Amino acid sequence: MGGLLSELGKRLAERWVTLLVLPGALYLVVAAAGHTLGHARPFDVTRLTGQLTTTAKEPVAQTVGGQAIILAGVLAGAAAVGLLVQAIGSTVERVLLAANWYAWPGPFKDLARRRIARRQRRWETATARLETRLGQDARVRALGGRADPAARWTARHRRDRIAVEYPERPTWAGDRIHAVALRLNRDHCLDLAVVWPSLWLVLPDSTRSEITTSRRETGRAASLIAWGLLYLPVTVWWWPAGLISISLFAMGHVRFRSTIDDYALLLEAAVRVHCGALLQYLGLHPAQPPAAADAQAPPSPLTPDAGEALMRLLRSESPPGASRR
């Protein structure tokens, strides 16, 4: 038991150093170097090394106690920066997913509503172009020809870059997750928010591991955007920090879109593949013929009727008197 706790503590310490201390220490180094160099001579290495030499000759840096205090201060500052980035990253993730945009403060909610309307118009235009291309390809095939798929794929890609389903969120990421709920409700009469907690309990370990890993990568992408935002104030005294900020923000944005798409695909696939097992586990599989009564029942097909039955079982009833309030 002691060995297990020791190994667990070692891994936690490694993650603490990797995720918080090292990026935070790098940020402090860049901020301190930028403050020393300034805008006039942003890449003057000689000036930077001279300042480091002067600082190293300070009396407090010559003693073991002073060095320990400086090291502790740097570690504490780096950890604080890392924690701040995690908090900013969580906020960035909530904003980009925009699940509760209608509850945002007034000006932000109005801005989100206008953005949704604009995205809906763009999506309708792109969908009309896609349908036109599909119609043209169908006529070519009806005449015995072979339609070039490149134009069709391009039209679909342009539509999906706006949203894969009709936009109802102010952001692409929010619509990508919402599209999973829309499709499952349309195809199988399932409410994702209701069925997911129960389904999670019966998912195989390998599936849960894949989903957890994908979700963790999404959080890391949001943290990368947060680092980009945190480097932005450093540009006040050192303009190259702006290049770092833009690069981190751009990489985080691209990575966030990619990881959100992967996460949405895994969510939808997990429900479609394993919801039959949940139906069987809850006793909602179709009746077996007598000859197969002793055999293990196969997973139930995920039909709309089965989805409705599952929703009736999983949804909680309204509290008594709720309709009169």
Side-chain angles (χ1 to χ4, degrees), residues 81-297:
V81 172
L83 292 174
L84 177 61
V85 165
Q86 286 193 344
I88 297 175
S90 298
T91 303
V92 167
E93 190 173 359
R94 287 196 297 269
V95 171
L96 291 178
L97 293 178
N100 298 318
W101 67 269
Y102 46 82
W104 290 357
F108 298 102
K109 182 168 63 176
D110 294 339
L111 182 62
R113 186 178 291 111
R114 289 194 295 269
R115 178 171 172 79
I116 291 172
R118 184 167 61 251
R119 297 182 72 245
Q120 288 173 346
R121 291 192 297 268
R122 292 175 57 213
W123 190 87
E124 290 169 352
T125 301
T127 301
R129 292 174 180 171
L130 174 60
E131 291 175 349
T132 300
R133 172 55 57 182
L134 293 176
Q136 293 173 353
D137 291 352
R139 287 192 294 270
V140 171
R141 288 192 297 270
L143 295 175
R146 183 181 181 276
D148 183 8
R152 182 172 66 252
W153 292 342
T154 300
R156 187 179 299 277
H157 177 70
R158 289 175 178 173
R159 195 276 307 271
D160 291 348
R161 281 186 61 85
I162 302 170
V164 296
E165 293 282 346
Y166 188 72
E168 296 184 13
R169 299 289 186 271
T171 62
W172 181 91
D175 271 322
R176 185 65 188 91
I177 298 297
H178 186 57
V180 177
L182 288 177
R183 289 173 172 177
L184 293 175
N185 183 266
R186 181 178 60 220
D187 298 343
H188 306 295
C189 299
L190 290 176
D191 187 338
L192 180 62
V194 174
V195 75
W196 183 251
S198 300
L199 179 63
W200 180 259
L201 298 177
V202 300
L203 287 177
D205 291 340
S206 59
T207 303
R208 284 195 286 187
S209 177
E210 289 291 336
I211 294 174
T212 301
T213 301
S214 179
R215 185 67 181 85
R216 187 182 301 117
E217 290 300 317
T218 301
R220 290 177 178 174
S223 296
L224 198 59
I225 297 175
W227 278 113
L229 295 175
L230 198 62
Y231 273 95
L232 194 58
V234 183
T235 58
V236 173
W237 57 81
W238 194 54
W239 66 262
L243 302 178
I244 300 175
S245 176
I246 294 172
S247 300
L248 290 174
F249 189 87
M251 288 188 295
H253 178 70
V254 172
R255 186 176 175 186
F256 190 81
R257 283 179 65 105
S258 176
T259 55
I260 280 292
D261 190 44
D262 293 341
Y263 181 62
L265 290 172
L266 285 174
L267 283 181
E268 187 171 354
V271 175
R272 294 183 186 274
V273 172
H274 296 287
C275 209
L278 177 61
L279 290 168
Q280 182 181 359
Y281 184 84
L282 296 175
L284 297 177
H285 53 79
Q288 292 281 318
D294 296 334
Q296 184 178 5

Side-chain angles (χ1 to χ4, degrees), residues 6-85:
S6 176
E7 183 65 22
L8 180 60
K10 184 186 300 183
R11 292 187 178 182
L12 289 176
E14 290 176 355
R15 292 195 63 184
W16 180 74
V17 171
T18 303
L19 298 179
L20 294 180
V21 176
L22 290 181
L26 178 61
Y27 176 81
L28 294 178
V29 169
V30 172
H35 186 270
T36 301
L37 295 174
H39 292 298
R41 293 182 291 177
F43 304 110
D44 191 347
V45 179
T46 302
R47 181 181 180 184
L48 182 61
T49 55
Q51 182 63 41
L52 288 175
T53 302
T54 302
T55 304
K57 293 180 179 180
E58 294 290 335
V60 68
Q62 298 295 322
T63 63
V64 177
Q67 293 173 359
I69 292 175
I70 293 173
L71 178 61
V74 170
L75 291 177
V81 172
L83 292 174
L84 177 61
V85 165

